[in-house]
Amino acid sequence: MEAQLKPQQESISFNEIRKQQRIERVKEFTEKLVRNKAALAGGLIVLFYIVIALFAPVLAPYDPLAIDLPNKLQPPSFEHWMGTDDKGRDILSRILYGSRLSMSVGLAAVVFGAVFGIIMGMAAGYYGGIIDSILSRLLDIMLAFPGILLALAIISALGPSLFNVTVAVGVFSVPLFARIARGSTMEVRKLEYVDAIRSLGAHDGIIIFKHILPNILSPLIVQGTLRLATAILSAAGLSFLGLGAQPPSPEWGAMLSNGRDYIFSAPYMAIFPGLTIALLVMGCNLFGDGLRDALDPRMKS
């Protein structure tokens, strides 16, 4: 009886130790992130944008699509805090609703690029050989094209729409995630615990996704946060060129494009959407830099 209880007690003790180690790592990560004032400011900015995106219908004082021609091109006032555009629509309401479009496009593009990039990179790094050669050459071809030009080519083939912008931005994000996943996988697969798991007869899929992927997530999370800023900026740029969201969608890039025609008579039409994009991109970059410092073991004091 005592012999049966002993392995169970050892298993419970081992699980408790692992749980305690995870708690300590999370606590250490949180403390390092909070001590980084720039990262904390960036995180608060991103959180602010998430809140206004979620509660846009509650926060917006007007219908973002409602046309009111008698009140068009009104300057900022107590009635319209950011003024009205050339069709009398409230700019503040359109910016609040536009946060949903811009952030969802950026997030979807990053998820698209991360999923395909991580799968390609881990396959190349784990198997090596001919698979690595083929996937690496494919990634080299994608990297040979500037990201925005590749996106323009994709949208030219698929047609202008917000969905196609998401696909285009996601496609030129794939090589970045794939490179990181490939290099990290090549390092982790050489470790002894991977050989031990393989010797026990574990399937390659289990080894890759259950034992290797959790150990390479840190740089991928950092890259995803930094890439979110680039994705939002790229999507806004494509919409500015008329290739993304189509009127009357309250997308920030499209609003900025519409405001350039009134840059002298009503500059607030371009200033407020531009500042909104710039602030969110800055927040993502600051938060991403803080995540990198907190997750990188080489940054320990």
Side-chain angles (χ1 to χ4, degrees), residues 21-39:
Q21 289 176 343
R22 286 195 296 266
I23 294 174
E24 291 178 356
R25 286 197 296 267
V26 171
K27 183 179 179 180
E28 181 184 2
F29 164 76
T30 304
E31 291 176 351
K32 292 177 67 175
L33 193 62
V34 170
R35 286 199 301 266
N36 191 326
K37 303 303 181 183

Side-chain angles (χ1 to χ4, degrees), residues 205-216:
I206 296 177
I207 296 175
I208 291 173
F209 292 104
K210 186 176 180 180
H211 298 284
I212 294 181
L213 180 59
N215 289 292
I216 66 172

Side-chain angles (χ1 to χ4, degrees), residues 254-271:
M255 293 175 62
L256 190 59
S257 177
N258 185 40
R260 64 179 173 175
D261 297 330
Y262 302 90
I263 193 66
F264 294 107
S265 59
Y268 49 85
M269 284 184 60
I271 291 175

Side-chain angles (χ1 to χ4, degrees), residues 19 44 48 74 98 106 127 243 246:
K19 182 179 179 181
L44 291 176
F48 171 75
Q74 294 291 321
Y127 292 105
L243 301 175
Q246 302 300 308

Side-chain angles (χ1 to χ4, degrees), residues 6 14 45 58 89 176 178 184 199 202 209 219 225 246 259 272 285:
K6 187 175 181 180
F14 178 70
I45 291 173
V58 178
R89 297 171 297 199
L176 300 176
S184 300
S199 65
F209 292 104
T225 307
Q246 302 300 308
F272 288 118
N285 284 327

Side-chain angles (χ1 to χ4, degrees), residues 180-203:
I180 296 174
R182 176 181 176 271
S184 300
T185 302
M186 292 179 68
E187 293 180 1
V188 174
R189 75 172 183 178
K190 300 176 182 177
L191 300 179
E192 294 180 355
Y193 85 92
V194 176
D195 294 332
I197 296 170
R198 190 183 295 111
S199 65
L200 294 174
H203 190 268

Side-chain angles (χ1 to χ4, degrees), residues 24-254:
E24 291 178 356
R25 286 197 296 267
V26 171
K27 183 179 179 180
E28 181 184 2
F29 164 76
T30 304
E31 291 176 351
K32 292 177 67 175
L33 193 62
V34 170
R35 286 199 301 266
N36 191 326
K37 303 303 181 183
L40 185 60
L44 291 176
I45 291 173
V46 174
L47 180 61
F48 171 75
Y49 275 89
I50 293 174
V51 170
I52 66 173
L54 292 175
F55 296 99
V58 178
L59 299 174
Y62 299 94
D63 184 347
L65 304 179
I67 296 176
D68 186 12
L69 292 178
N71 289 319
K72 67 178 182 179
L73 299 177
Q74 294 291 321
S77 62
F78 288 107
E79 186 176 1
H80 299 281
W81 289 7
M82 293 185 180
T84 60
D85 63 7
D86 56 320
K87 294 180 176 58
R89 297 171 297 199
D90 183 65
I91 294 177
L92 174 59
S93 299
R94 290 178 63 78
I95 286 179
L96 292 175
Y97 273 89
S99 62
R100 291 185 158 190
L101 294 177
S102 296
M103 295 190 69
S104 60
V105 168
L107 183 60
V110 170
V111 171
F112 179 93
V115 170
F116 285 94
I118 291 173
I119 292 175
M120 292 176 63
M122 293 186 69
Y126 182 79
Y127 292 105
I130 186 65
I131 295 178
D132 184 20
S133 298
I134 294 174
L135 293 177
S136 295
R137 298 298 79 75
L138 178 60
L139 295 174
D140 290 339
I141 293 173
M142 296 176 67
L143 287 171
F145 294 92
I148 194 67
L149 293 182
L150 181 60
L152 288 172
I154 294 173
I155 295 176
S156 298
L158 299 178
S161 72
L162 208 55
F163 175 78
N164 293 339
V165 166
T166 304
V167 173
V169 176
V171 166
F172 77 75
S173 299
V174 168
L176 300 176
F177 288 99
R179 287 287 181 111
I180 296 174
R182 176 181 176 271
S184 300
T185 302
M186 292 179 68
E187 293 180 1
V188 174
R189 75 172 183 178
K190 300 176 182 177
L191 300 179
E192 294 180 355
Y193 85 92
V194 176
D195 294 332
I197 296 170
R198 190 183 295 111
S199 65
L200 294 174
H203 190 268
D204 287 345
I206 296 177
I207 296 175
I208 291 173
F209 292 104
K210 186 176 180 180
H211 298 284
I212 294 181
L213 180 59
N215 289 292
I216 66 172
L217 277 179
S218 294
L220 293 171
I221 292 173
V222 173
Q223 179 62 37
T225 307
L226 295 172
R227 195 63 191 170
L228 179 60
T230 304
I232 292 173
L233 193 59
S234 300
L238 292 170
S239 295
F240 180 84
L241 297 175
L243 301 175
Q246 302 300 308
S249 297
E251 201 275 335
W252 295 339

